[in-house]
DNA sequence: GTAATAAAAGACTCTTTTATCTTAAATTAA
DNA sequence: TTAATTTAAGATAAAAGAGTCTTTTATTAC
């Protein structure tokens, strides 16, 4: 419905990494243990982030993945685009065939405004801001009111 | 990402039905033909809408599905809740474990504001407003800019 | 009552997403 | 150079969403 589960895992992982200095390698095994995410699955997700220059990686002893740049410069927008693509920021809310700027559906304009706000705060929220929340709630606790 | 494909089909079908008087039965076969939606699949989706008192149905010759009330009183919100449930209006954008009013994630508040706008226009957009758009673009045309 | 019509219900298939398992390749340490 | 470590890559499986097909049940028309 919102970001994919893969994307959520990626976001949590990068927020976790933001507790380490930029360039410091952390084994994916540690991340998967601490955040309760399947190791091999997480490996594939983080590969997308290294391919998109959000992370760097190093094999072998002392290796792992590391932030490719300052945590404060890595935004939610970067991560969502890297893992889920731009659909969230471009698609029709109702998935109506033919909806676009030429032939907008009746909610196209209003959805565009709301989505613009989402786009804006995703571009202005860095992973450092997520760090505390992710570390405190790293288990399988479900969303609660 | 947004509403499910099933929900989109449901919305288009009810918008289609809003071209008929309330209570007038239209065979699901006609809807599936005109909107290019798989007949048997659509049957299951429309059953959800009859279960939620959005539609009424009648078997046998001269039967079909019909609007249970005035088209102008059937909103997008009604249809989304009936088919996809309330997740769109309650879930965490980032799917973060533990995110809620007690321990909100850093984008919780802003997402809530944006979503409030979505909720508002979904509650204030009736299917009659979608009728024209759905009829004109009933084929398999993909979204275009 | 019989035949035709049309939704309801159930079984089954296909695709995508999510998850697991195994092997290969690269790096470090000794 | 050998062993240990750790990402990369590939194959496979489980779960959910989407779509198809068949049978059953209810309704109408004759």
């Amino acid at each position: 419905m919102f970001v994919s589960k893969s994307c959520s895992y990626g976001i949590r992982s990068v927020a976790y990494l933001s507790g380490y200095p930029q360039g410091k390698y952390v084994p994916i095994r540690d991340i998967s243990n601490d955040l309760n995410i399947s190791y091999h699955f997480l490996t594939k997700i983080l590969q997308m982030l290294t391919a998109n220059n959000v992370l760097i990686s190093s094999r072998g002893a002392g290796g792992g993945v590391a932030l490719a740049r300052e945590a404060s410069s890595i935004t939610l927008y970067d991560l969502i685009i890297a893992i889920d693509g731009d659909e969230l920021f471009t698609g029709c809310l109702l998935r109506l065939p033919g909806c676009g700027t030429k032939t907008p559906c009746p909610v196209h304009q209003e959805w565009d405004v709301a989505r613009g706000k989402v786009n804006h705060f995703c571009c202005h929220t860095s992973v450092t801001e997520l760090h505390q929340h992710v570390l405190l709630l790293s288990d399988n606790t479900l969303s609660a009111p």
Side-chain angles (χ1 to χ4, degrees), chain A:
Chain A
M1 180 69 81
F2 312 108
V3 304
S4 69
K5 222 166 174 182
S6 295
C7 188
S8 183
Y9 291 164
I11 291 169
R12 290 170 62 203
S13 298
V14 178
Y16 174 95
L17 279 171
S18 73
Y20 293 89
Q22 173 193 344
K24 162 73 182 174
Y25 289 114
V26 179
I28 298 179
R29 181 66 73 181
D30 291 1
I31 307 176
S32 79
N33 281 342
D34 289 350
L35 300 184
N36 284 298
I37 302 170
S38 150
Y39 168 68
H40 293 287
F41 189 47
L42 185 56
T43 292
K44 292 180 205 308
I45 297 165
L46 298 188
Q47 275 171 35
M48 288 195 253
L49 294 178
T50 62
N52 278 270
N53 303 309
V54 173
L55 301 180
I56 52 177
S57 68
S58 170
R59 296 181 178 187
V65 292
L67 300 181
R69 50 182 201 267
E70 235 183 285
S72 61
S73 77
I74 301 173
T75 68
L76 280 177
Y77 184 85
D78 298 332
L79 304 180
I80 293 171
I81 292 292
I83 298 172
D84 279 350
D86 67 355
E87 202 196 343
L88 175 63
F89 302 112
T90 59
C92 171
L93 174 68
L94 306 179
R95 298 214 211 181
L96 296 176
C99 174
T101 48
K102 268 189 192 170
T103 51
C105 75
V107 303
H108 185 92
Q109 178 60 26
E110 291 181 280
W111 167 237
D112 234 33
V113 171
R115 171 163 60 192
K117 300 213 186 300
V118 175
N119 190 317
H120 184 266
F121 72 66
C122 282
C123 287
H124 288 79
T125 304
S126 77
V127 289
T128 44
E129 297 170 58
L130 289 162
H131 182 69
Q132 287 303 320
H133 188 271
V134 165
L135 281 205
L136 290 175
L137 299 162
S138 49
D139 53 46
N140 305 37
T141 315
L142 292 175
S143 299

